[in-house]
Every structure is written in C-alpha cells, then in structure tokens.
Amino acid sequence: MRIDKFLSVTGKASRSESSRAARAGRITVNGVIARDCSRHIDPEKDEICFDGIKVLYREFIWIMMNKPAGVLSASEDRKQKTVIDLLPPELQEKGLFPCGRLDKDTVGLLMLTNDGALSHALLSPRHHAEKSYYFRLSRPYDNARGIENGIMMDGKLTKPAKIVMRDALCGVITLTEGKYHQIKRMFAYAGCTVVYLKRISFAGVKLDPSLGEGEWRYLTPEEEEALRRAPV
Ligand code: URA
C-alpha cells in the first residue's frame, strides 16, 4: 500500500496533506524519513510515524457524526442531501454508509463506516446493541401508561426499553432494537408527540459533545474496540 493511501485510510491525513508532510520530513518508515508518499509499505509489518507518533493501521474507516436535522441517513439520494454529502470529497469516495438510520428530523450520533460485517453485527436484532436518545415531548408523559415493557409494533412486542425522565417533558430512552420510527411510535402509543430527538450513544460509544451539528471525527481506537466488543 502507498504511504499516502495508508495515511488517508487511517484518517491521519488526506493524500495531498500526506505529500506536503512527507516533503517536510514529518513522516518516517521504520525510523527513516520518507519524502516520497508514493512509496509502498506493508501496513502489517512496517512502522509508520507521523510527527513522531506511530500511526495504527485500521483496515476500515469508522466515523462518528453529529447528524443535523434535514439530511438523510443514506449513502446517496438523487434529490436530497445525505450524511455522506457532509464529508470532504476524499471521504465521499470511500464507500462509506451509515450504520443504521436516524429519521430526517432526528439529530445526533450516527456512525459511518465501510465495515459491512461489524455494521451488520451491530444492527442485528440478535445482538441487542444499546442506543440511547434524548427526547422532548409535546405534553407530559404519563408513566402509568408505561411503554417500557413493550407495545405491539409491526405484529410483535417491542423489546423492553428504559426511560429516565429528566422532567415532565424530557428524558432519555434506551432501546436495544431499531424499528422504523420506533421512539415516535412508542410515545404516540402513550399519547405524546416527540418534538425533538437526539441520539446520544450507540453500542457503548457516546456522542462527542465537542462536535457541532454536521461535524464529524474518526472514532478513537478505544471507541472502535468498544464497538467490536458490543455484539454479544
Ligand atoms: N426512533 C425514531 O422514532 N426515530 C429515530 O430517528 C430513531 C429512533
């Protein structure tokens, strides 16, 4: 693999940034300065450092985005803006797709990846990966008509959910499944309309509070590890 490809796949630098950094002597391969980014390395065996820090090889890209309202959780759409359109051009060509979906008006944590196998495992109903959402309702939630134990949806009982109210209108709901419009439909069953919904965690990874809506960053190795451990 070329050095510039390696640095772009690992999320360290784009290809043009890599060539500039290489010319400036900021990249080493096995301790020796590499000024030519087209040089091939073996990501499994060679040690590549950027500004003296070892770059860990990652086969797949995992990105966390703070999805804004008004964009689709899809890889492409002929008419509407998608979450992929919010990434820089070099990342738009990497075959990334959203790991799961949020409604167009839902904001918050959305993972983007090109790791089909892990994404599939995390979304599989058998794996019970937890997803938490902050919600705001149009009218107070009457706990007596509890929906946590499950309601009938698409011919099946929903899995138990956890709801922690912060006040009469707002709270956090945690689900282990993801049916179409699930939270809105659960609260509709209890007679409430969800007026704001934000995903705040997914499979043990929390939304980075420093990310504004529409912003993204690569997952840290620890966060990727948490995702790998999540499917049980
Ligand atoms: N439940 C919903 O109703 N909408 C979402 O976007 C996610 C969960």
Side-chain angles (χ1 to χ4, degrees):
M1 184 187 290
R2 286 171 55 127
I3 295 176
D4 50 6
K5 167 108 199 253
F6 171 82
L7 291 171
S8 99
V9 164
T10 52
K12 194 69 205 164
S14 69
R15 289 204 172 188
S16 53
E17 283 162 353
S18 300
S19 350
R20 276 198 300 279
R23 283 198 299 276
R26 294 165 61 196
I27 298 170
T28 57
V29 176
N30 302 325
V32 179
I33 289 179
R35 293 193 192 270
D36 177 8
C37 258
S38 64
R39 192 177 137 191
H40 282 251
I41 49 109
D42 180 340
E44 307 284 353
K45 293 192 187 133
D46 292 322
E47 184 180 86
I48 296 45
C49 292
F50 193 99
D51 287 340
I53 296 166
K54 186 176 171 189
V55 181
L56 295 177
Y57 179 55
R58 298 191 224 172
E59 198 182 350
F60 296 109
I61 300 176
W62 277 93
I63 281 173
M64 87 159 55
M65 177 180 279
N66 184 356
K67 178 193 169 298
V71 292
L72 295 184
S73 301
S75 301
E76 53 182 43
D77 191 88
R78 280 168 47 188
K79 295 204 179 109
Q80 300 189 61
K81 198 170 183 175
T82 74
V83 285
I84 301 296
D85 296 326
L86 300 176
L87 297 174
E90 66 273 14
L91 274 177
Q92 292 183 15
E93 294 151 15
K94 298 260 189 265
L96 297 172
F97 52 86
C99 175
R101 279 170 189 267
L102 294 177
D103 296 340
K104 191 173 168 187
D105 59 352
T106 300
V107 300
L109 179 56
L110 185 68
M111 302 291 185
L112 303 170
T113 186
N114 52 6
D115 185 345
L118 180 55
S119 172
H120 182 75
L122 287 165
L123 297 174
S124 157
R126 286 188 297 121
H127 289 311
H128 316 291
E130 286 197 342
K131 306 150 193 96
S132 295
Y133 299 78
Y134 171 81
F135 61 85
R136 192 161 62 240
L137 304 172
S138 57
R139 59 184 277 299
Y141 170 57
D142 173 3
N143 211 18
R145 299 151 84 184
I147 50 180
E148 291 105 314
N149 295 335
I151 60 164
M152 285 306 284
M153 198 177 278
D154 306 333
K156 276 192 186 157
L157 200 60
T158 54
K159 295 203 177 118
K162 198 166 79 192
I163 300 177
V164 178
M165 295 305 288
R166 290 194 181 159
D167 59 36
L169 294 177
C170 301
V172 171
I173 179 166
T174 302
L175 304 179
T176 57
E177 58 185 347
K179 294 182 191 291
Y180 181 65
H181 290 334
Q182 180 158 349
I183 296 172
K184 292 173 184 160
R185 288 159 79 194
M186 285 171 76
F187 280 109
Y189 180 88
C192 303
T193 303
V194 175
V195 294
Y196 178 79
L197 193 58
K198 175 177 187 170
R199 182 149 70 188
I200 53 176
S201 77
F202 175 83
V205 177
K206 290 197 173 100
L207 177 64
D208 183 336
S210 72
L211 288 179
E213 284 184 14
E215 292 182 345
W216 62 275
R217 68 159 171 77
Y218 291 96
L219 289 197
T220 63
E222 294 74 26
E223 287 167 340
E224 273 197 46
E225 196 42 43
L227 290 188
R228 284 207 173 79
R229 279 196 312 265
V232 283

